[in-house]
Amino acid sequence: MKFKDTLGYSFSAIRLRKLRSGLTTLGIVIGIAAIVALLSFTQGFEVSITDQFQDGFSTDTLIVSAQNPMQVPGGGVEPSDFTMYTNDSESIETVDGVIFATPLVSSRATIESDLTSTTAEVTGVNYTEFAALYSTTFVAELGAIPEEPANDSVIIGQSLYDPWNNGTYFVDIGDSLTVTINAGLPTEKNVTLTVVGVLAEVGGSSFGVGPSDSGVYLTLDTAVDFFESDEVKSIVVQLVSDNEATINAVTLDIEALFDYEATVTSMTSLLDTMTTMLGTIELLLTGIAGISLLVAGVGIMNIMIVSLMERTREIGILKALGAKGRTVMGIFLTEALLIGVIGGVVGIAAGALLANLFSGLLGGGFTMGGRTPSDLSFGTITPILTPELALWAMFFGVVVSVVFALYPAWRASKLDPVDALRKE
Amino acid sequence: MNTNTVLEVQDLKRTYQLGSIPVHALRGVSFQVNAGEFVSVLGPSGSGKSTLLNMIGALDRPSEGTLAIRGTEVGTLNDNQLAELRQRVGFVFQFFNLISRLDAIGNVELPLTIAGVPAEERRAKAEQMLEKVGLGDRMHHKPSELSGGERQRVAVARALVTDPSFLLMDEPTGNLDSVTAGEIMDLVDTVNQELGMTVIVVTHDPDVSSRARRKIRLVDGQIDSDEVNNN
C-alpha cells in the first residue's frame, strides 16, 4: 500500500470517530501547548533578565565580598567569620589590572520622611567611583550626583521616591530624610540627611550589587561614622578590560590577597550562574509539561487498543484482501502520526497564545518571592517562541503519539485473519 | 500438474486444538479445480466447509497434505507471501464485509490500493467492474445507502477487480432474500460463463449449489461425493 493511500485511509478512520479522535488529539494539544507556553515564557524571561543584567551592570567589574553574595541565607554552609574593611580596597588597587576599587558599606535601616516611614537597604558609597562603575544606572533623574558631596547628602532610588506611582512623593529634592538603625533597641541612633538626587529608573534587579530602585545612598564617610563600623559588605573593582584572561588573573590575585577567604565574583560568572539556574528551571518545567505529554501518549495507546477491538473485523477484511501485517501496522501508526501532527500544530498555536496571555496578565507588575515588588521586578516579559522550540515540540508530539501506538499497531498487525473475520 | 489447474488439493488435513482435545476438521481431502469451472462445496455445519474455505482463500495453512493455488503451495509460504497470494483470490463473504466509511467505488478499489496499484488505474478498473455488476449509477453511495443485494454486488465487483485466479464465495446468499439471492446467482453465472471466471462457492443452500456444474459434498471432514451437476 502506498504511503499516500495509507494516509488517506487512516484519515478517513480518524474522521469517522470525530469526538474520540478530537479528545485524543486534545491530550497531545495540552501537552504540546504546556511545553511551548512554559518554555517560550522561560526563554523570554531569560532574555529579559540577561538584557537587564547587561544594561545595568558593567562586565568589566568584579565584586569582592566576605560572604558569597549568591549564598542562600541559612543554606547550610557555615558563614565564615572573615570580614573586610573599607581600607581593603586600597590593597586591591595594588593588583595588576585593577583601575580602582570602591567599598560598599550597608545596613538595613528605617527611613522616615515627613510623610511616612519605610525600611530600606542603606548603602554608603563613594559617589564619584560608584557613578564611574555604573555609568548607565547611577544617574540622577532629579537633582544631581554631587562631585564633592556634603556629609548629609543622600541619593534615593526611583521606587523609593515615587513608591505609589501616583505622583505622591515620599520625599523630594532638598527635603530631609531621617535614617534610623537598630530601631527599638537600646543602641538605636539616627541621622538626618538632605536628598540631593533621585536616580532614574534602573529596572531589573540589583542582585545585591549596583544601584537599585529601592536603594538609599549616603556618602561612604557618613555611613562609616553612622554605622560606627568600617566593615564592608563588598568591594566593587573596576578592571582595565572585560576579557576573560584579565578577569581570571585579577580574580586569582585578589583571592590570594585575602588568603582565599574572600569571594570574588565577576559579573560574567554571575550571569553564567543565573543562566544555569534558569536552565534548571527550564528543565523542571519541561519535565512537568513532558509528563502531561506522556499522559496523552497513554491516552492514545488506550484509544488505539479500544479501536483495535472495534475494528478487528475491518482488519480481517483488509488481510483477506491481501494486506500484509506491515500494511495494517502502517495504517494504525499513520493514524497516530496524524493525531500527533494535528495535535502538534494546534498545541504550538495554543501554547504561543497562552504564553502571550500569561505575559499580558503579568505584564508590568510581575514579581518574585516575598520581597518588595521593586526588589525583583522584571517588567514585561515577552515570550519567545523560536522555530527550534516549535520544531522540537512538534517532534516530541509526533514521537510520543507514534511510540505509544506501536504496541496496539503491532497487535493489529499480528491478528489472525480467520479469527478477525469471525468476530462480529 | 495440468497448466489449466487453478486449485489442487492433495490429502488435505487440518487439526485444531480445542483446549487439550484435538479437533480433526479435515481428515484428508483431495480434489482439483480447473480454470472456468463452477464448483459448489456443500455440507452440513461441522463438516469442515469453513476450514476448507479458509485454506482455499489462503487465510490458513494445512496441518498435513498440500493445497496449491495456481501451482503455489500454500503450506510453505510465510505470512507476507500468503498475504500476496490472497491478492490473487477473489473473496466474497456472507456478510458482505464492506468497509462502511468507504463508498462503493472506494470498497472496490481497496484490494488494488492494498496491492499498490496507481490511483488512476485502479479507479478506472473499479468503475469498469461496478458497471459490469450493474452498479454504474451507485458508485458513490456508502454501503449503508445500498440494499443487501447491491452490497453483495459491490462485494463481487471488489472480488473480481484484481482479476483473481478464482472467485471464492462463502454463503453468498445467506443474508439475502430469495429474489435477490437469485439475482446474485444470475450475476455469478454471467461472470462464470461470459468472463470465464472460475467460481468456487461454499454453501449449504441447495438453490445455490444447483447453479454449479460440479458439487463436492463434505461430511465429517471428508469428501462424501464429488459429481457433475445434472441440473
Side-chain angles (χ1 to χ4, degrees), chain A residues 59-350:
Chain A
T59 46
D60 57 353
T61 58
L62 290 178
I63 294 153
V64 186
S65 23
Q67 308 288 339
N68 187 344
M70 293 303 283
Q71 187 177 307
V72 184
V77 183
E78 274 299 309
S80 96
D81 54 5
F82 171 74
T83 48
M84 290 195 310
Y85 302 96
T86 46
N87 58 11
D88 282 331
S89 65
E90 284 157 30
S91 27
I92 291 174
E93 280 173 348
T94 64
V95 174
D96 263 358
V98 173
I99 298 177
F100 64 85
T102 190
L104 267 62
V105 211
S106 77
S107 172
R108 218 57 207 167
T110 306
I111 50 170
E112 192 179 348
S113 72
D114 292 341
L115 206 61
T116 180
S117 73
T118 181
T119 46
E121 186 82 0
V122 176
T123 311
V125 294
N126 178 319
Y127 285 176
T128 317
E129 288 178 349
F130 207 56
L133 278 167
Y134 301 109
S135 55
T136 55
T137 49
F138 199 66
V139 178
E141 184 181 83
L142 301 169
I145 292 166
E147 277 176 35
E148 286 171 9
N151 283 341
D152 68 343
S153 302
V154 64
I155 295 170
I156 59 171
Q158 181 66 229
S159 67
L160 199 65
Y161 170 68
D162 185 10
W164 304 281
N165 264 322
N166 63 357
T168 307
Y169 303 121
F170 182 64
V171 281
D172 217 328
I173 301 290
D175 288 354
S176 60
L177 194 66
T178 308
V179 178
T180 309
I181 53 167
N182 299 336
L185 296 177
T187 55
E188 175 180 305
K189 65 182 287 191
N190 60 55
V191 62
T192 300
L193 307 163
T194 309
V195 178
V196 295
V198 174
L199 297 180
E201 189 174 345
V202 177
S205 164
S206 66
F207 295 103
V209 288
S212 155
D213 282 336
S214 58
V216 176
Y217 300 94
L218 328 179
T219 63
L220 187 61
D221 294 340
T222 311
V224 169
D225 284 349
F226 178 52
F227 297 151
E228 292 176 36
S229 156
D230 58 357
E231 197 178 302
V232 298
K233 177 187 166 198
S234 44
I235 296 172
V236 186
V237 181
Q238 174 70 58
L239 303 173
V240 288
S241 109
D242 66 352
N243 75 47
E244 218 179 309
T246 312
I247 291 173
N248 291 342
V250 175
T251 302
L252 282 174
D253 286 351
I254 296 175
E255 279 174 351
L257 193 67
F258 294 103
D259 280 339
Y260 301 98
E261 296 229 58
T263 307
V264 182
T265 316
S266 73
M267 289 325 294
T268 325
S269 74
L270 209 59
L271 193 61
D272 285 351
T273 313
M274 284 301 302
T275 314
T276 313
M277 271 168 58
L278 279 171
T280 314
I281 293 171
E282 207 172 291
L283 206 67
L284 188 80
L285 291 176
T286 315
I288 293 168
I291 289 169
S292 72
L293 198 58
L294 277 188
V295 172
V298 174
I300 286 188
M301 188 151 156
N302 189 14
I303 287 300
M304 284 267 167
I305 289 175
V306 171
S307 160
L308 169 77
M309 287 167 178
E310 277 181 0
R311 289 161 69 189
T312 301
R313 197 177 178 85
E314 178 188 329
I315 295 162
I317 296 168
L318 288 173
K319 287 202 156 183
L321 295 179
K324 293 173 186 166
R326 62 166 178 265
T327 308
V328 174
M329 189 153 174
I331 288 169
F332 274 76
L333 287 183
T334 306
E335 282 177 31
L337 182 82
L338 282 170
I339 287 175
V341 169
I342 296 169
V345 169
V346 178
I348 289 167

Side-chain angles (χ1 to χ4, degrees), chain B residues 28-182:
Chain B
V29 171
S30 301
F31 65 96
Q32 71 175 50
V33 176
N34 291 326
E37 275 198 274
F38 186 169
V39 183
S40 73
V41 177
L42 69 161
S45 55
S47 61
K49 281 194 318 259
S50 297
T51 307
L52 181 61
L53 175 100
N54 287 338
M55 270 181 290
I56 297 174
L59 291 170
D60 199 4
R61 294 187 191 86
S63 303
E64 276 180 61
T66 61
L67 186 142
I69 296 171
R70 280 207 188 276
T72 308
E73 171 53 54
V74 168
T76 60
L77 302 180
N78 65 28
D79 285 351
N80 280 341
Q81 290 167 325
L82 215 53
E84 266 170 27
L85 187 64
R86 285 198 288 270
Q87 293 174 3
R88 294 266 145 220
V89 174
F91 231 125
V92 175
F93 306 89
Q94 178 180 356
F95 299 105
F96 320 129
N97 279 348
L98 301 175
I99 306 287
S100 57
R101 64 174 180 277
L102 301 179
D103 57 11
I105 195 156
N107 269 288
V108 177
E109 270 185 57
L110 192 54
L112 297 176
T113 311
I114 289 169
V117 175
E120 278 173 34
E121 188 184 335
R122 62 176 194 245
R123 177 120 309 206
K125 280 189 177 175
E127 277 174 7
Q128 204 183 351
M129 204 47 76
L130 278 168
E131 297 277 2
K132 254 181 207 162
V133 300
L135 286 177
D137 56 339
R138 312 285 277 170
M139 285 185 195
H140 298 290
H141 287 68
K142 295 265 173 76
S144 58
E145 298 158 349
L146 298 172
S147 70
E150 286 170 332
R151 284 184 216 182
Q152 199 58 308
R153 279 168 196 272
V154 174
V156 171
R158 180 178 69 183
L160 291 174
V161 79
T162 55
D163 189 20
S165 302
F166 50 82
L167 189 61
L168 179 62
M169 310 183 92
D170 179 15
E171 301 283 9
T173 58
N175 234 23
L176 301 173
D177 62 78
S178 60
V179 178
T180 315

Side-chain angles (χ1 to χ4, degrees), chain B residues 7 9 29-33 37-44 47 49 52 56 199-203 209 212-219 222-229:
Chain B
L7 179 70
V9 181
V29 171
S30 301
F31 65 96
Q32 71 175 50
V33 176
E37 275 198 274
F38 186 169
V39 183
S40 73
V41 177
L42 69 161
S47 61
K49 281 194 318 259
L52 181 61
I56 297 174
V199 178
I200 302 167
V201 56
V202 175
T203 185
S209 67
R213 279 185 298 284
R214 179 179 163 195
K215 269 191 209 175
I216 297 174
R217 180 181 294 278
L218 276 185
V219 175
Q222 283 175 314
I223 293 181
D224 182 56
S225 64
D226 181 351
E227 59 198 15
V228 173
N229 213 345

